[in-house]
Amino acid sequence: MQYVSTRGQSPAQSFSQILLGGLAPDGGLYLPVEYPKISGAELDVWRKLSYADLAFEVLKKFATDIPEADLRELTRKTYTADVYRNVRQGEDAAQITPLCTLEDKDGRKLVLQALSNGPTLAFKDMAMQLLGNLFEYALAKQNAELNIFGATSGDTGSAAEYAMRGKKGIRVFMLSPHKKMSAFQTAQMFSLQDPNIFNIAVEGVFDDCQDMVKAVSNDLEFKARQKIGTVNSINWARVVAQVVYYVRGYLSATASNDQKVSFTVPSGNFGNICAGHIARMMGIPIDTLVAATNENDVLDEFFRTGVYRVRKASETYHTTSPSMDISKASNFERFVYDLLGRDAERVRALFKRVDSHGGFDLSGKPGSDGDEFAKVGAYGFVSGKSVHADRVATIRDVHAQYGVTVDTHTADGIKVARDYAKPGIPMIVLETALPAKFNETIREALGRDAERPAGFENIESLPQRYEVMGTDVEKMKAFIARHTGL
Ligand SMILES: *Cc1c(COP(=O)(O)O)cnc(C)c1O
């Protein structure tokens, strides 16, 4: 299987060649030359597989240059009940992404698929844990090393650290804004004692951290010498690892392949739901893909109007579902490439405007950039938006009706899912985090703390290991060089 760039000006590459990277050299995102298909006969066999072996079956269609025996070992090492242990009471950790069917007194059903049972209690662990093992495997083969350098305001950074801790050939340098993360998130990251993990608390805000990452990455000589890489949400292996749980969700919610399901996905950078789009393109019988946004409604605006408009910093809101606070959706280009019939030249023209903080209009109205918005329905996409008041009301309502506490992002999903439920088609809402991570809003909604999984009770009192630094780029480079020895 070869991979091409959505902007059409980079050479085709294999899975292993794009594994450790991010953007293609032409600024586009990688996609397979064509989507592999999943047959009904395969689905019948897959119904009986463990999550790890299902992951192997899906991944081997994409990672064709990794020997099958190695790939199977990697998926079996990753998807274990021990890694994904933080299940709700009564759920079976061995299922990895168990479904929780909630039924109210009027018989209305709501299905949650738990994706947040991994070490950092958010769905990013589903892909990141595999990435850690894939990276270690690939680096060992090339006798190479990699220094991951990034900035985080919470979820992504901790998922990356828990995936890469203790991995040979890998170090992680993660910047976060000093004293700006929640006590829980800070403790989760800073309590890691692994010598290959470096937490750097920057005296500034998240944007200062990001600016430092950009400044260091723009020094190409330094970047090459220090073997600097990233693990952001556009990484292809992360997207493909997420395809697996859509297949599992489908198989778990149906008894035969003539049934359909729909998914609602709390969305920010479009990484999660992009995997749903790919699963649908591969032939999984998915009826509708519902993108649920918070106040940062870039995606909802597109799926309602055909207009894609990047937000300015002043129009990007800090919300109580913070992992969806985005000004543009970095994986969206992958879907638009398919929507435009894989016309890389047009994608390049439209997304160059996105890169310079503009946008485009596919509504088909006079003066617009195209009329492909009319085709969005054929890809199953619809959307909706949920704001703070909806979130709080949904957390309360779900707790009252079903006795289950959901996190703020999942609450956004449930709010929107309820508008799109159809009789006879199970609506699966992806649960993207556990409520303990966003306790402030749980307190607001329910007047008490969220329950914490075993082992997290006293996380704030564990010893912390981190470095406080100013926004001096040269000092940052010196810190990295001192610890890599390169
Ligand atoms: C990252 C994240 C999201 C958004 O996922 P995207 O892939 O960026 O659309 C939603 N919920 C939680 C809890 C997350 O961590």
Side-chain angles (χ1 to χ4, degrees):
M1 176 67 73
Q2 291 289 106
Y3 293 85
V4 290
S5 164
T6 50
R7 300 198 186 177
Q9 294 187 323
S10 300
Q13 305 268 292
S14 73
F15 183 87
S16 296
Q17 284 172 315
I18 63 171
L19 173 63
L20 299 168
L23 288 177
D26 62 5
L29 307 187
Y30 286 110
L31 274 176
V33 177
E34 58 180 9
Y35 295 116
K37 294 288 178 226
I38 298 171
S39 69
E42 278 176 305
L43 281 180
D44 287 334
V45 176
W46 291 2
R47 284 183 184 278
K48 298 173 205 79
L49 296 183
S50 67
Y51 192 96
D53 287 348
L54 178 67
F56 164 73
E57 295 294 339
V58 173
L59 280 158
K60 81 173 188 200
K61 292 177 182 282
F62 292 99
T64 49
D65 61 344
I66 296 183
E68 290 194 1
D70 295 355
L71 195 58
R72 192 184 284 280
E73 205 175 296
L74 287 165
T75 58
R76 285 194 177 168
K77 180 172 162 189
T78 304
Y79 296 108
T80 69
D82 188 47
V83 173
Y84 296 92
R85 73 174 86 163
N86 300 304
V87 288
R88 275 207 175 80
Q89 227 177 5
E91 281 176 356
D92 177 8
Q95 289 186 27
I96 310 300
T97 63
L99 296 191
C100 170
T101 303
L102 309 173
E103 194 165 350
D104 68 15
K105 46 192 185 314
D106 303 321
R108 283 181 307 183
K109 272 190 193 163
L110 184 66
V111 185
L112 297 180
Q113 187 175 3
L115 303 182
S116 40
N117 300 334
T120 74
L121 314 185
F123 92 96
K124 299 208 166 56
D125 292 328
M126 290 306 304
M128 206 73 93
Q129 287 289 318
L130 180 72
L131 207 65
N133 287 325
L134 275 171
F135 275 23
E136 184 177 52
Y137 167 83
L139 290 166
K141 274 205 150 175
Q142 300 163 21
N143 200 11
E145 51 185 299
L146 178 71
N147 294 306
I148 294 167
F149 183 48
T152 189
S153 55
D155 279 355
T156 312
S158 60
E161 291 186 354
Y162 279 78
M164 305 298 167
R165 62 187 294 200
K167 294 277 184 280
K168 287 189 225 52
I170 304 176
R171 292 183 199 84
V172 179
F173 296 88
M174 192 60 66
L175 312 189
S176 57
H178 190 34
K179 297 187 174 159
K180 300 281 190 316
M181 292 191 296
S182 74
F184 186 91
Q185 282 179 319
T186 307
Q188 233 183 355
M189 290 177 59
F190 293 6
S191 65
L192 286 177
Q193 302 295 332
D194 307 75
N196 71 327
I197 304 294
F198 299 92
N199 279 303
I200 303 165
V202 174
E203 291 170 317
V205 293
F206 175 61
D207 286 336
D208 296 317
C209 300
Q210 266 194 321
D211 288 346
M212 289 182 81
V213 172
K214 272 190 211 139
V216 171
S217 303
N218 286 342
D219 182 343
L220 297 181
E221 188 276 326
F222 180 85
K223 197 177 162 193
R225 181 159 41 86
Q226 294 296 333
K227 306 184 193 311
I228 301 276
T230 55
V231 284
N232 44 29
S233 80
I234 57 161
N235 177 284
W236 169 250
R238 273 181 73 180
V239 175
V240 96
Q242 293 169 179
V243 173
V244 179
Y245 55 71
Y246 285 88
V247 181
R248 168 75 339 154
Y250 172 74
L251 295 173
S252 301
T254 59
S256 69
N257 304 338
D258 49 17
Q259 288 182 279
K260 285 191 165 190
V261 303
S262 295
F263 286 94
T264 298
V265 188
S267 292
N269 272 319
F270 205 76
N272 194 347
I273 201 166
C274 184
H277 163 67
I278 292 165
R280 195 173 181 276
M281 297 296 277
M282 292 173 78
I284 299 298
I286 296 174
D287 183 73
T288 308
L289 286 165
V290 186
T293 75
N294 65 14
E295 290 86 338
N296 297 290
D297 58 356
V298 192
L299 289 169
D300 184 44
E301 181 174 43
F302 177 80
F303 285 113
R304 277 185 303 101
T305 66
V307 175
Y308 185 68
R309 189 172 58 86
V310 175
R311 304 294 197 260
K312 298 188 198 75
S314 61
E315 297 174 304
T316 307
Y317 308 107
H318 290 285
T319 76
T320 44
S321 43
S323 303
M324 291 157 42
D325 293 348
I326 47 103
S327 56
K328 62 175 180 186
S330 53
N331 274 286
F332 189 53
E333 186 168 335
R334 288 193 159 111
F335 170 65
V336 173
Y337 183 65
D338 286 338
L339 184 66
L340 297 185
R342 302 201 144 207
D343 182 341
E345 216 163 300
R346 275 185 74 204
V347 172
R348 188 165 72 245
L350 296 182
F351 279 89
K352 283 213 161 138
R353 277 149 59 181
V354 170
D355 289 346
S356 44
H357 308 286
F360 54 81
D361 178 352
L362 298 177
S363 68
K365 291 190 183 138
S368 65
D369 303 295
D371 60 3
E372 282 80 3
F373 179 57
K375 295 189 194 155
V376 160
Y379 288 89
F381 274 99
V382 294
S383 72
K385 165 178 171 176
S386 161
V387 300
H388 180 75
D390 298 317
R391 215 166 284 143
V392 171
T394 303
I395 292 168
R396 267 188 206 136
D397 179 65
V398 168
H399 186 260
Q401 299 264 353
Y402 312 106
V404 165
T405 310
V406 292
D407 102 289
T408 50
H409 307 76
T410 309
D412 288 331
I414 293 171
K415 150 79 173 77
V416 175
R418 284 174 161 167
D419 293 336
Y420 288 105
K422 290 184 199 167
I425 300 180
M427 172 62 85
I428 301 175
V429 178
L430 299 186
E431 181 175 45
T432 56
L434 290 191
K437 278 198 107 163
F438 303 97
N439 191 43
E440 294 75 11
T441 308
I442 302 302
R443 283 193 79 97
E444 180 183 342
L446 303 179
R448 59 152 179 82
D449 289 325
E451 50 281 333
R452 285 191 178 185
F456 287 86
E457 297 87 353
N458 302 312
I459 185 168
E460 290 93 340
S461 53
L462 295 175
Q464 300 193 349
R465 179 175 158 268
Y466 62 100
E467 197 82 21
V468 180
M469 289 183 73
T471 52
D472 185 328
V473 174
E474 290 312 314
K475 278 192 182 148
M476 180 69 65
K477 286 185 191 166
F479 179 86
I480 294 172
R482 192 159 71 244
H483 287 95
T484 62
L486 295 169

